[in-house]
Amino acid sequence: MKSRAQKQAQNKIKTASASKSAKAPLQIQQEFDFESAEGEPQNKAIYYGELEIIPTIGGDCYILDDCRCVMSERGFARLLRISHIALRGMLGNWPPKTLEPFCNKALTVITTLAEVTAKNCPYKGRKIVVYDVPLMEEIIRTYALAYANGCLRRNQLHLGETCADLLKALIKTSLSMRIELSCGLQPCPQQVVRRCHWDTIYQRARNLMYAALKLAYPYRNRKKYRGLMSNSFGYVYKAFLGKKLYKEIQQKRDKRFAIHQYIEDNVLRRRCVGYTLMLANVIAGDHCRITAAKEPGWAAVQKLIAVQTPGLVAISGKQQSELINAAGQLEEMRAVYYGQVNIAGKSGDGYILQDGVVGLSENALAIFMGMSQVALFMIGKNGLPQKLRQFLEPEEQIKPLLVKVVAANSPHRGRYINFYPVADVEMLLRAYAFAFLSGKL
């Protein structure tokens, strides 16, 4: 027989369980995220903001009263594309056996409990678990290294791929910000993030569009091709944005940068960039029919929007490369902005081209890499050695551009230089860093 006190205790447990199950899922989620953080807060989160390292994926970030920059556990988990429950469990058993060769054993993996006091934060007054920059860097770097060396288990591959993408984005964004600041510009961080993420796709579409239009209209000069390209991309933007919004963006945007960087809606921006690439494919694959068209690409855009499928991509990646190589360079590339970039006690020349591409001169990159300019020139000419190629994707290639310096403040004004865009600099740094840490050099 159960005592009266035991029966009363059991009834209380059942009542609490029933009331908890009746709560909305969001309320339960909030309780798990915040009220489960037990103990006295170690710090106060006095500033709050939302961070976007990869477009469409953001997270809550804070500055603590001891000046440390941190992210909330929930925001960092969203950045890694895993649940915060999985993130918490992962740190409880850090490092997993597959990651031991790649982690920093001297680093103590400890999270921080903070009380939110930032006025603009919707979670003001709550206690949250936060991750500081060294801890986040350790997790991202360790998984990226293990992914590059093929040492992850199947259920860890998605996390390794995400961490590798984060490393690329962080390197390209920080380099672009440094170079633009040294050139006297005032870059908007979120626009730099979007440009670094989307411009690779946009540049592919632009190069392929030029090649297709050159085949369709073989006797026009280069300036005419630019006009045809502008019209073709304009059809896509007008169709998705509408004429009113398209006109508003045209009026406020910096002409050096593509329109898609000024589209606030993430889904709409992805669709615009994706369809510009597909339009370029369609024009390239059907250039004979488009030769007779008065407005190249308009019919193709209408068909793409009506069908809404990537199945209209008309040519393969190999055919794209062949077309682009056969067409040659769209026009003479010019470096219109110049500045001295200082990184880790070394300085070199940074430039911005007329179409907004940011990068370093060959001499500057050689200085930062600690190698001779001749050795870097040979890499640009012949590609990376085979033992370094394994750390890049098959389609990634380092190709310097020949550009003319026209920036008024540059000591090399009027000369032609080899120029490495930020995307190529990131590939070079990644290949050597991963090879070094893997003992392959």
Side-chain angles (χ1 to χ4, degrees):
M1 294 290 291
K2 294 183 180 180
S3 66
R4 185 176 180 182
Q6 286 177 329
K7 289 181 180 180
Q8 288 178 347
Q10 283 184 348
N11 290 334
K12 285 183 180 180
I13 293 172
K14 289 179 181 178
T15 304
S17 177
S19 63
K20 186 174 182 180
S21 62
K23 291 182 181 178
L26 179 61
Q27 187 177 357
I28 296 173
Q29 179 73 32
Q30 289 176 343
E31 285 184 2
F32 184 85
D33 288 343
F34 298 101
E35 293 181 9
S36 61
E38 299 176 354
E40 289 299 318
Q42 299 160 298
N43 294 91
K44 291 184 178 181
I46 57 177
Y47 295 103
Y48 165 78
E50 293 182 1
L51 178 66
E52 186 182 60
I53 297 177
I54 294 178
T56 74
I57 302 176
D60 299 330
C61 55
Y62 302 87
I63 298 179
L64 304 184
D65 51 2
D66 59 2
C67 298
R68 281 188 296 161
C69 298
V70 299
M71 283 191 76
S72 67
E73 184 174 61
R74 190 171 50 170
F76 186 46
R78 191 181 300 124
L79 198 63
L80 296 178
R81 295 173 180 161
I82 60 175
S83 69
H84 59 278
I85 301 174
L87 176 60
R88 190 176 298 178
M90 182 175 70
L91 281 192
N93 188 35
W94 186 265
K97 290 184 178 180
T98 53
L99 303 182
E100 285 181 358
F102 307 100
C103 68
N104 179 9
K105 295 181 177 62
L107 181 69
T108 304
V109 179
I110 299 177
T111 57
T112 302
L113 185 63
E115 181 184 357
V116 180
T117 60
K119 294 180 180 179
N120 63 331
C121 182
Y123 312 120
K124 184 180 178 182
R126 296 182 177 179
K127 295 183 290 183
I128 61 172
V129 176
V130 295
Y131 290 61
D132 60 14
V133 171
L135 178 55
M136 291 188 289
E137 185 270 340
E138 168 70 7
I139 294 171
I140 293 171
R141 178 181 53 78
T142 301
Y143 269 97
L145 277 173
Y147 175 74
N149 284 272
C151 296
L152 293 179
R153 295 193 298 269
R154 183 178 297 179
N155 64 341
Q156 296 174 320
L157 286 176
H158 70 287
L159 182 53
E161 187 176 358
T162 299
C163 289
D165 290 341
L166 284 171
L167 271 185
K168 296 177 193 177
L170 288 167
I171 292 172
K172 288 191 283 189
T173 302
S174 59
L175 277 174
S176 295
M177 291 282 291
R178 274 290 185 94
I179 294 170
E180 291 188 26
L181 286 169
S182 70
C183 291
L185 304 182
Q186 297 297 323
C188 172
Q190 293 305 326
Q191 286 186 8
V192 173
V193 168
R194 292 173 186 172
R195 186 161 67 249
C196 290
H197 183 75
W198 293 114
D199 270 12
T200 302
I201 301 174
Y202 178 78
Q203 196 65 36
R204 279 171 54 203
R206 189 172 179 272
N207 292 341
L208 182 61
M209 184 76 76
Y210 171 66
L213 293 173
K214 192 170 182 181
L215 289 169
Y217 301 89
Y219 303 112
R220 302 208 177 183
N221 61 39
R222 287 178 174 177
K223 290 185 179 179
K224 292 290 184 182
Y225 292 129
R226 285 183 64 84
L228 290 171
M229 285 176 58
S230 178
N231 289 341
S232 298
F233 284 127
Y235 300 143
V236 175
Y237 291 128
K238 287 177 186 175
F240 279 104
L241 301 175
K243 291 184 178 180
K244 183 179 179 181
L245 181 57
Y246 176 76
K247 188 175 180 180
E248 290 176 0
I249 292 176
Q250 282 282 51
Q251 290 174 348
K252 71 178 183 180
R253 79 180 179 100
D254 187 331
K255 303 299 181 185
R256 293 178 296 118
F257 303 128
I259 291 176
H260 62 263
Q261 295 178 33
Y262 295 87
I263 302 174
E264 297 298 329
D265 186 273
N266 292 324
V267 175
L268 194 59
R269 184 169 62 245
R270 284 202 305 271
R271 291 179 67 192
C272 279
V273 176
Y275 275 95
T276 51
L277 181 58
M278 284 196 288
L279 171 62
N281 273 273
V282 171
I283 291 179
D286 200 17
H287 60 82
C288 293
R289 183 181 63 79
I290 291 173
T291 304
K294 293 180 180 179
E295 295 181 325
W298 176 248
V301 173
Q302 293 300 313
K303 190 176 180 182
L304 282 169
I305 294 171
V307 180
Q308 302 238 345
T309 172
L312 285 171
V313 176
I315 59 175
S316 67
K318 184 179 179 182
Q319 289 172 315
Q320 287 184 24
S321 300
E322 291 173 353
L323 271 174
I324 292 170
N325 292 334
Q329 194 166 289
L330 174 60
E331 63 176 338
E332 181 181 71
M333 305 301 289
R334 293 174 287 115
V336 296
Y337 292 97
Y338 164 81
Q340 277 285 314
V341 183
N342 297 299
I343 301 175
K346 299 178 181 179
S347 62
D349 299 332
Y351 294 94
I352 302 175
L353 306 187
Q354 80 269 27
D355 58 357
V357 176
V358 180
L360 299 169
S361 69
E362 186 175 67
N363 181 56
L365 183 55
I367 291 172
F368 292 138
M369 294 288 294
M371 62 196 307
S372 70
Q373 190 173 347
V374 176
L376 183 58
F377 173 79
M378 294 307 294
I379 289 175
K381 182 180 178 181
N382 303 322
L384 284 169
Q386 189 60 37
K387 61 184 177 181
L388 299 179
R389 286 290 313 160
Q390 63 178 302
F391 297 103
L392 299 181
E393 300 296 331
E395 66 274 10
E396 290 181 323
Q397 294 182 354
I398 297 173
K399 291 183 178 179
L401 304 175
L402 184 64
V403 304
K404 184 178 181 179
V405 180
V406 297
N409 62 332
S410 173
H412 311 299
R413 186 181 181 187
R415 295 182 184 177
Y416 286 87
I417 62 168
N418 281 334
F419 171 86
Y420 287 78
V422 162
D424 288 22
V425 176
E426 183 276 327
M427 282 189 279
L428 194 63
L429 291 173
R430 174 162 37 103
Y432 272 98
F434 282 5
F436 172 73
L437 294 169
S438 303
K440 299 294 178 66
L441 291 181

